Amino acid sequence: MMNIIIWILIVYATSLIIVEGTIFDGPRERIAEKSDFFGNLLNCIMCTSPWIGFFYSITIWSPSSSLFINSITGSHIFLDGMIACGGAWIIDSIITYLKK
């Protein structure tokens, strides 16, 4: 269970860096100029985190594979994206609430 929490924190931190990090200001602006879809995607933590979850599921570790052993392999990637999105939403909601 602790591995899943750490994985969610890593996904949230990566998403936060992509969405709000100053190092990505230039690329975000250039992408937003060329595509509304991808510009909106890179300015929303809820939109970015599932894709980070998909990527980390494929490259690093799949938390859903440790929860659901006998399911279809491809479904793990989708479930991990949803776990990432939900976890990022919870963390972001808590931080937003504490800032008020």
Side-chain angles (χ1 to χ4, degrees):
M1 185 65 173
M2 190 55 122
N3 290 337
I4 296 172
I5 293 170
I6 292 170
W7 188 83
I8 290 171
L9 289 171
I10 292 169
V11 167
Y12 175 74
T14 306
S15 300
L16 188 67
I17 289 168
I18 291 171
V19 170
E20 296 184 15
T22 57
I23 193 167
F24 287 107
D25 282 346
R28 265 195 315 270
E29 290 172 9
R30 284 191 296 276
I31 290 170
E33 289 172 2
K34 295 182 185 222
S35 169
D36 287 336
F37 175 78
F38 288 110
N40 291 332
L41 179 84
L42 294 176
N43 284 305
C44 167
I45 221 152
M46 289 291 296
C47 307
T48 306
S49 60
W51 294 100
I52 301 297
F54 297 150
F55 177 74
Y56 284 171
S57 174
I58 294 168
T59 58
I60 297 175
W61 179 68
S62 171
S64 65
S65 67
S66 65
L67 296 173
F68 310 108
I69 296 170
N70 295 325
S71 65
I72 301 168
T73 307
S75 65
H76 291 299
I77 298 168
F78 177 76
L79 289 173
D80 292 337
M82 298 306 103
I83 291 169
C85 186
W89 175 76
I90 290 169
I91 294 169
D92 195 55
S93 296
I94 291 169
I95 290 172
T96 301
Y97 176 77
L98 293 175
K99 284 182 179 179
K100 290 183 180 180

